[in-house]
Amino acid sequence: MAVALRGGRDGLRSFFTYRIFISALFSFLFLATFSVFLNSSHHHHPPQDHTLTSSVGRTFLALQSDPLKTRLDLIHKQATDHLTLVNAYAAYARKLKLDASKQLKLFEDLAINFSDLQSKPGLKPENNGNALEEDAFRVLEKDVKDKVKTARMMIVESKESYDTQLKIQKLKDTIFAVQEQLAKAKKNGAVASLISAKSVPKSLNCLAMRLVGERINNPDKYKDAPFDSAVEDPSLYHYAVFSDNVIAVSVVVRSVVMNAEEPWKHVFHVVTDRMNLAAMKVWFKMRPLDRGAHIEIKSVEEFKFLNSSYAPVLKQLESAKLHKFYFENQAENATNIKFKNPKYLSMLNHLRFYLPEMYPKLNKILFLDDDVVVQKDVTGLWKINLDGKVNGAVETCFGSFHRYGQYLNFTHPLIKERFNPSACAWAFGMNIFDLNAWRREKCTDQYHYWQNLNEDRSLWELGTLPPGLMTFYSKTKSLDKSWHVLGLGYNPGVSMDEIKKAAVIHYNGNMKPWLDIAMNQYKSLWTKYVDNEMEFVQMCNFGL
């Protein structure tokens, strides 16, 4: 508003200045014309040849009635007016220093051209009875018209440069409109990305339905296998994979087994929800693990200690406030669309904080997300000395990015007191946990403490990384980055050299490799571990 008022005042001031300038201009022209008339009346001319005079001479009365005289007066007046106007713009150009010497030089050259035209001998309008030559007149008329046309074009172009206030306002309006469009496009893009990434693809739904159908049609064939003592043997290499995605879990497990030097020493603990338990069991019954690897498949509901009286997150998931946040379409929640991911309502996403209770007889376990691919033998992780720390993970910070200040609310006094905002964050998705150190440090109790305090989401928004950063603060051992390369689900700039050196690659982000929106340059790294010989994969048209 202030800009508009200031612009209005400047425009009004410019208007009155222009009126004064025009009045002065016309006064000057009147005096100049009167002076020219007086000078031409008393001007002395040299003697002329009598013969030439008699042949072309005209009387004073004839001169007054000469039609060329009127046209010459008009041309002279136009030249004089434009000379004055050009000089005025030249002065204005000096004052504003627009295009500095270039524009000023153009106006000055144009003014000189007008002066030269007016000073040509024999071409001034004089009431002395001399005749006007038609050819000379036409040359003068053409020159003046060309110069007038050039002057007008230059003045029009200059006016556009002088209307700076109008241009600034137009530019601000354009920027504002573009920003509005950009904000709207970002919001729509976030919603579309969330829908495409988190909706269950038709192929996945087809696979689950066919697996369940197989179980229903052949109940005797898919009875539960007898207990495998390897699942409790602490001397073996144990993995935890929590997911409801059958094809994703199969790729994780298959990639580990195919790259393991001693696959018979590897044990996989797969936990899913009740809805997908049958499909998961049928898959691994139809496609058993090669080379003697072991697998245990359970549902979340089988861990009876996980109830709302023990796990704060289960209590919060049942609360009306959280359901209101997720399911009511309120304007204030539109900006937090990325936090309305359905996975945050699943206990599968929070099981990682209960590993010691879930596997009480184990000493170490490697936690893997379902969107990773293991490219090398990873048994070296069990040999790393964690120096008494609980969590071995790859740090993700660089510069000011991915530090604690980005994940936690440091305006909260408790967060400000207990944590350093510059502390380097690390990644979930491939973590080697020392379960004995976990029990000693009582990390699950600390997780419960922070989760209870965050019921109103005042410490962090949602997700499992912020409470993980708090629970394992100063209890995390940094691993070499080649163990875990991230970004294949959102960053097209991850180099192939870095990927080839990585033991584990992670498709974190919305562009999961089993979706149509996956990045093509990375998709083949995942699809090569898909069991394409499985008949249901072919029937469900995964398009791999």
Side-chain angles (χ1 to χ4, degrees):
M1 186 64 180
V3 173
L5 290 173
R6 184 164 60 253
R9 291 196 296 269
D10 292 343
L12 191 59
R13 190 182 303 114
S14 300
F15 174 73
F16 282 111
T17 303
Y18 179 72
R19 291 288 300 274
I20 294 171
F21 170 73
I22 291 299
S23 300
L25 177 61
F26 275 103
S27 300
F28 173 77
L29 290 175
F30 175 76
L31 292 175
T33 304
F34 184 71
S35 175
V36 170
F37 175 76
L38 291 178
N39 288 337
S40 62
S41 298
H42 296 86
H43 189 74
H44 176 73
H45 295 277
Q48 300 178 356
D49 183 83
H50 182 71
T51 305
L52 181 62
T53 301
S54 62
S55 62
V56 299
R58 298 183 183 180
T59 64
F60 179 76
L61 184 60
L63 183 61
Q64 283 185 325
S65 62
D66 190 345
L68 295 179
K69 175 65 170 61
T70 304
R71 292 171 60 186
L72 183 60
D73 288 341
L74 180 60
I75 292 172
H76 185 268
K77 184 178 185 303
Q78 285 182 340
T80 303
D81 290 347
H82 283 82
L83 171 61
T84 306
L85 194 58
V86 166
N87 284 330
Y89 272 96
Y92 198 26
R94 289 191 196 94
K95 180 180 178 181
L96 298 181
K97 296 182 179 180
L98 295 174
D99 293 334
S101 59
K102 182 179 178 181
Q103 191 178 59
L104 182 60
K105 184 71 166 56
L106 289 174
F107 280 121
E108 288 179 341
D109 289 346
L110 194 56
I112 293 172
N113 289 337
F114 276 117
S115 299
D116 291 343
L117 283 173
Q118 289 184 300
S119 63
K120 285 185 177 181
L123 296 180
K124 291 185 178 181
E126 299 170 343
N127 293 331
N128 56 3
N130 289 339
L132 295 176
E133 296 183 7
E134 183 73 20
D135 293 341
F137 172 77
R138 294 189 182 281
V139 172
L140 172 63
E141 185 178 34
K142 184 178 183 303
D143 287 346
V144 171
K145 285 183 176 180
D146 290 343
K147 294 298 186 292
V148 167
K149 182 179 179 180
T150 303
R152 287 176 177 173
M153 291 175 60
M154 288 182 59
I155 290 170
V156 169
E157 292 176 359
S158 300
K159 280 184 177 180
E160 293 180 0
S161 300
Y162 297 145
D163 292 339
T164 54
Q165 189 63 40
L166 180 60
K167 284 192 171 185
I168 290 172
Q169 188 59 46
K170 286 182 177 180
L171 182 59
K172 287 182 177 179
D173 292 343
T174 302
I175 292 173
F176 178 79
V178 171
Q179 287 176 339
E180 287 287 304
Q181 293 175 357
L182 179 61
K184 186 177 180 180
K186 283 184 176 180
K187 181 179 176 181
N188 292 339
V191 174
S193 177
L194 183 65
I195 292 173
S196 61
K198 306 308 174 187
S199 299
V200 178
K202 183 179 179 180
S203 55
L204 282 180
N205 185 65
C206 167
L207 179 61
M209 292 298 99
R210 290 191 177 275
L211 289 169
V212 172
E214 175 71 13
R215 172 69 178 262
I216 294 172
N217 294 331
N218 304 281
D220 295 334
K221 185 178 179 180
Y222 297 103
K223 289 181 179 179
D224 291 340
F227 176 75
D228 185 355
S229 60
V231 300
E232 293 182 348
D233 187 349
S235 65
L236 301 180
Y237 303 110
H238 293 265
Y239 301 80
V241 184
F242 307 143
S243 173
D244 58 359
N245 187 328
V246 178
I247 194 74
V249 172
S250 71
V251 167
V252 174
V253 173
R254 198 161 188 254
S255 66
V256 174
V257 173
M258 289 179 67
N259 291 291
E261 295 178 0
E262 300 175 309
W264 56 90
K265 292 184 178 180
H266 295 255
V267 183
F268 299 91
H269 301 269
V270 176
V271 180
T272 187
D273 55 25
R274 183 184 302 163
M275 182 180 298
N276 291 279
L277 179 63
M280 199 76 72
K281 286 185 174 182
V282 171
W283 174 282
F284 286 102
K285 192 76 172 181
M286 294 180 69
R287 309 299 296 175
L289 301 185
D290 297 330
R291 305 167 67 192
H294 308 271
I295 189 167
E296 175 193 46
I297 302 172
K298 288 187 174 183
S299 69
V300 177
E301 291 76 16
E302 293 182 55
F303 297 94
K304 300 301 181 182
F305 71 92
L306 290 173
N307 52 63
S308 58
S309 62
Y310 175 69
V313 69
L314 280 174
K315 182 179 180 180
Q316 292 168 13
L317 289 175
E318 296 172 359
S319 70
K321 286 184 178 179
L322 198 63
H323 280 260
K324 181 179 179 180
F325 173 78
Y326 272 102
F327 300 116
E328 287 195 11
N329 185 21
Q330 297 180 1
E332 64 267 24
N333 290 333
T335 56
N336 295 326
I337 189 69
K338 68 178 182 179
F339 297 113
K340 292 192 173 185
N341 192 323
K343 72 178 183 179
Y344 297 135
L345 291 175
S346 172
M347 189 59 195
L348 286 174
N349 201 42
H350 298 269
L351 284 181
R352 66 194 70 189
F353 294 105
Y354 297 97
L355 289 170
E357 291 92 336
M358 295 171 69
Y359 309 108
K361 296 186 179 181
L362 301 184
N363 299 324
K364 281 189 176 183
I365 196 166
L366 181 64
F367 171 76
L368 295 175
D369 269 341
D370 65 356
D371 54 353
V372 306
V373 170
V374 177
Q375 301 186 124
K376 298 179 180 179
D377 183 276
V378 292
T379 54
L381 288 168
W382 276 263
K383 301 172 185 176
I384 294 176
N385 183 3
L386 296 181
D387 300 325
K389 297 185 184 295
V390 178
N391 174 29
V394 170
E395 293 182 337
T396 56
C397 62
F398 60 96
S400 61
F401 297 98
H402 297 291
R403 298 189 179 273
Y404 271 55
Q406 290 182 268
Y407 299 97
L408 305 178
N409 178 19
F410 275 86
T411 62
H412 194 287
L414 190 58
I415 297 293
K416 188 175 182 180
E417 177 187 350
R418 299 284 291 273
F419 302 99
N420 179 4
S422 299
C424 189
W426 41 266
F428 263 134
M430 191 225 68
N431 307 79
I432 183 71
F433 287 111
D434 185 333
L435 299 183
N436 292 327
W438 186 316
R439 298 180 185 104
R440 183 183 67 248
E441 297 291 341
K442 299 182 178 180
C443 292
T444 301
D445 291 342
Q446 293 181 41
Y447 163 69
H448 285 173
Y449 171 75
W450 293 117
Q451 193 70 48
N452 279 319
L453 288 177
N454 195 51
E455 185 173 4
D456 58 355
R457 301 187 303 280
S458 61
L459 305 184
W460 71 90
E461 283 288 350
L462 285 172
T464 54
L465 181 56
L469 295 174
M470 300 167 79
T471 299
F472 302 113
Y473 184 65
S474 74
K475 301 180 183 69
T476 299
K477 169 82 171 181
S478 177
L479 303 180
D480 187 274
K481 292 185 181 298
S482 64
W483 280 111
H484 186 192
V485 170
L486 299 103
L488 278 69
Y490 73 91
N491 181 13
V494 182
S495 71
M496 292 307 298
D497 289 340
E498 189 177 4
I499 290 172
K500 289 177 181 178
K501 295 176 183 177
V504 177
I505 55 175
H506 195 167
Y507 291 83
N508 57 311
N510 285 337
M511 300 179 187
K512 301 300 184 187
W514 54 84
L515 299 175
D516 291 337
I517 61 174
M519 287 185 278
N520 292 329
Q521 65 265 43
Y522 305 136
K523 192 169 183 177
S524 62
L525 301 170
W526 183 85
T527 56
K528 75 178 186 178
Y529 291 105
V530 175
D531 190 351
N532 290 303
E533 295 181 2
M534 206 299 187
E535 57 182 298
F536 294 155
V537 170
Q538 300 173 15
M539 294 170 64
C540 289
N541 190 25
F542 269 83
L544 302 174

